[in-house]
Amino acid sequence: KMVVNNMPLVYVQIIEGGLKKKINALIKNVTIAVSGSLNAPKENVRVIVSEIPKTHFGIGGKIAKELGK
């Protein structure tokens, strides 16, 4: 089994709203997936979660906030 001795860095971008309680689970699950996929120790995996304001996200040419998304 080949071991990768790197430090994977994963950026996750989500639209703001309603997920604050789920971010811990998201980080844990992404860490497990990346660790298993790259055969990297979980301790080496870094996950950064950024929330995008609904005023900075468009769908079909309209601001998501205006669409109630």
Side-chain angles (χ1 to χ4, degrees), residues 3 8-10 16 19 21-24 27 33-34 36 38 42 48 53 59 61 63-64 67:
V3 176
L9 178 59
V10 179
E16 71 176 348
L19 292 178
K21 294 178 182 176
K22 296 182 179 182
I23 289 179
N24 286 347
I27 291 171
V34 170
L38 298 179
K42 289 179 191 173
I48 297 172
I59 301 170
I63 302 297
L67 296 172

Side-chain angles (χ1 to χ4, degrees), residues 1 4 6 14 21-23 29 31 39 43-44 48 50 52 69:
K1 213 179 203 187
V4 177
N6 60 2
I14 58 175
K21 294 178 182 176
K22 296 182 179 182
I23 289 179
N29 291 329
T31 298
N39 196 26
E43 298 78 23
N44 287 5
I48 297 172
S50 299
I52 307 300
K69 303 284 183 181

